């Protein structure tokens, strides 16, 4: 449910809805537009529950029911349509009018993402291509297109895990699968005592199966080849699980590096 003030709701309604219409969209074009931006069917009966079922009422119900981020994405996408509609109909709107609308969608988008830990997708070395890859993945999530970046996420994991293996002096070959690299890495950090709880250990071990299954997704359900692409919801689920594990690994590595540095510092009081 989007967290909107009364004034923000008024800005949305006054900007986009007129007598049940949404700008100059027809029923079909509005349905297609919303689906393209959010992957949601605005014709779902829940958006007409308790109202007339007009496009305007469906939009307002959508704003009421969906998350901040999803509503923000749709409002941002509608911004150009709003300007064009006002220009075509000679409706003079000053900068304050548009800025109020912009403020709403920027606040909503700034408050979240479809993937909670997408910020974890960062290169862990100085390779320029690796940094570009990570940037492209994050941009796909910002555009609400997780299914378009599954193959890139798989490539990211390969590079990320190889770098981790190198840092722990773990031998690996050029063509090892993501689950093989993950298995080698997890084996070493378990031996080093990086994982403290039994539950975390079980989660990490189960993640090996997720990495194994990711190979099939990459090969048969992504743009890596001429494939039918995995659906949106499952793509979000995969991204969420993978990025959560990457975030955990990053935090764990940072913690133990800091401990190693602290232990290596001389105790000047003993001299």
């Amino acid at each position: 449910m989007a967290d909107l003030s009364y004034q923000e709701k008024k800005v949305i309604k006054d900007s986009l809805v007129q007598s049940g219409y949404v700008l100059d969209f027809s029923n079909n074009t509005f349905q297609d537009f919303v689906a393209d931006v959010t992957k949601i069917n605005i014709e779902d009966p829940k958006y007409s529950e308790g109202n007339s079922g007009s496009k305007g009422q469906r939009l307002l119900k959508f704003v009421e029911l969906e998350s901040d981020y999803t509503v923000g994405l749709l409002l941002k996408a509608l911004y150009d349509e709003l300007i064009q509609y006002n220009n075509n109909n000679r409706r003079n709107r000053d900068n304050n009018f548009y800025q109020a609308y912009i403020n709403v969608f920027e606040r909503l988008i700034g408050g979240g993402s479809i993937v909670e830990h997408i910020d974890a997708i960062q290169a862990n070395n100085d390779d320029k291509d690796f940094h570009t890859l990570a940037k492209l993945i994050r941009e796909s999530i910002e555009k609400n297109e997780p299914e378009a970046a599954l193959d890139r996420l798989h490539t990211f994991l390969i590079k990320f895990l190889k770098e981790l293996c190198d840092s722990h002096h773990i031998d690996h070959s050029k063509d090892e699968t993501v689950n093989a690299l993950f298995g080698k890495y997890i084996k070493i950090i378990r031996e080093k005592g990086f994982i403290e709880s039994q539950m975390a250990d079980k989660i990490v071990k189960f993640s090996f199966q997720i990495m194994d299954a990711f190979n099939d997704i990459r090969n048969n359900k992504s743009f890596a080849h001429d494939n039918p692409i995995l659906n949106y919801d499952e793509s979000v689920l995969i991204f969420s699980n993978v990025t959560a594990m990457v975030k955990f690994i990053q935090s764990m590595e940072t913690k133990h590096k800091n401990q190693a540095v602290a232990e290596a510092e001389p105790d000047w009081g003993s001299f």
Side-chain angles (χ1 to χ4, degrees):
M1 181 180 295
D3 181 17
L4 291 160
S5 68
Y6 170 81
Q7 188 59 40
E8 287 175 323
K9 292 177 183 177
K10 188 174 186 301
V11 167
I12 294 170
K13 183 177 180 180
D14 291 349
S15 299
L16 301 173
V17 179
Q18 301 290 330
S19 301
Y21 291 92
V22 176
L23 305 179
D24 57 359
F25 284 101
S26 68
N27 288 336
N28 288 338
T29 58
F30 188 53
Q31 182 181 15
D32 290 344
F33 186 91
V34 175
D36 184 58
V37 174
T38 68
K39 309 298 188 291
I40 293 173
N41 180 14
I42 195 68
E43 290 295 316
D44 188 302
K46 69 181 180 180
Y47 300 119
S48 60
E49 188 174 330
N51 62 56
S52 66
S54 68
K55 291 182 290 295
Q57 290 297 318
R58 285 179 179 274
L59 173 62
L60 297 178
K61 194 71 171 182
F62 180 98
V63 168
E64 176 186 332
L65 295 178
E66 299 303 330
S67 68
D68 284 8
Y69 188 75
T70 300
V71 172
L73 283 179
L74 180 58
L75 295 180
K76 182 178 181 180
L78 285 167
Y79 179 63
D80 288 341
E81 304 295 325
L82 171 62
I83 293 175
Q84 182 177 341
Y85 175 81
N86 286 336
N87 289 341
N88 290 345
N89 290 276
R90 299 182 179 180
R91 301 176 69 191
N92 295 323
R93 302 297 190 190
D94 60 20
N95 289 336
N96 290 334
F97 173 87
Y98 289 116
Q99 190 58 54
Y101 183 87
I102 291 170
N103 290 344
V104 175
F105 71 68
E106 285 188 343
R107 184 186 70 77
L108 293 173
I109 291 174
S113 168
I114 57 170
V115 177
E116 181 179 0
H117 297 298
I118 191 60
D119 60 306
I121 302 301
Q122 304 283 347
N124 55 348
N125 61 27
D126 295 327
D127 180 16
K128 182 180 178 181
D129 291 342
F130 195 6
H131 282 268
T132 299
L133 174 66
K135 180 174 178 287
L136 290 171
I137 293 170
R138 295 193 303 272
E139 287 177 350
S140 290
I141 297 303
E142 290 170 5
K143 294 176 182 177
N144 202 29
E145 298 175 348
E147 63 272 52
L150 289 170
D151 56 329
R152 288 173 175 169
L153 181 62
H154 186 276
T155 302
F156 172 89
L157 276 178
I158 293 285
K159 289 178 172 290
F160 180 74
L161 289 167
K162 282 183 176 180
E163 185 66 23
L164 288 171
C165 286
D166 289 343
S167 70
H168 288 276
H169 309 291
I170 302 169
D171 291 333
H172 59 85
S173 65
K174 178 182 177 181
D175 298 322
E176 285 194 70
T177 61
V178 66
N179 54 302
L181 291 166
F182 185 75
K184 287 183 175 183
Y185 169 72
I186 292 304
K187 181 176 183 292
I188 289 297
I189 65 169
R190 291 177 71 208
E191 291 174 356
K192 291 183 177 182
F194 280 21
I195 300 174
E196 299 176 8
S197 70
Q198 185 180 30
M199 184 172 182
D201 186 57
K202 287 184 176 181
I203 292 171
V204 168
K205 284 192 288 186
F206 182 73
S207 294
F208 175 82
Q209 298 178 42
I210 294 175
M211 299 298 175
D212 186 28
F214 199 8
N215 292 319
D216 177 67
I217 293 295
R218 183 263 180 193
N219 292 330
N220 299 303
K221 291 287 186 178
S222 82
F223 284 124
H225 303 292
D226 183 14
N227 295 318
I229 304 304
L230 188 67
N231 66 71
Y232 172 84
D233 291 327
E234 291 185 35
S235 297
V236 171
L237 179 64
I238 290 170
F239 256 94
S240 297
N241 277 271
V242 169
T243 54
M245 180 52 62
V246 170
K247 186 77 170 181
F248 169 73
I249 290 172
Q250 290 169 337
S251 299
M252 181 176 58
E253 288 285 336
T254 299
K255 173 185 174 182
H256 286 277
K257 283 179 182 177
N258 290 341
Q259 286 180 350
V261 170
E263 291 170 0
E265 290 180 352
D267 181 4
W268 297 108
S270 64
F271 287 89

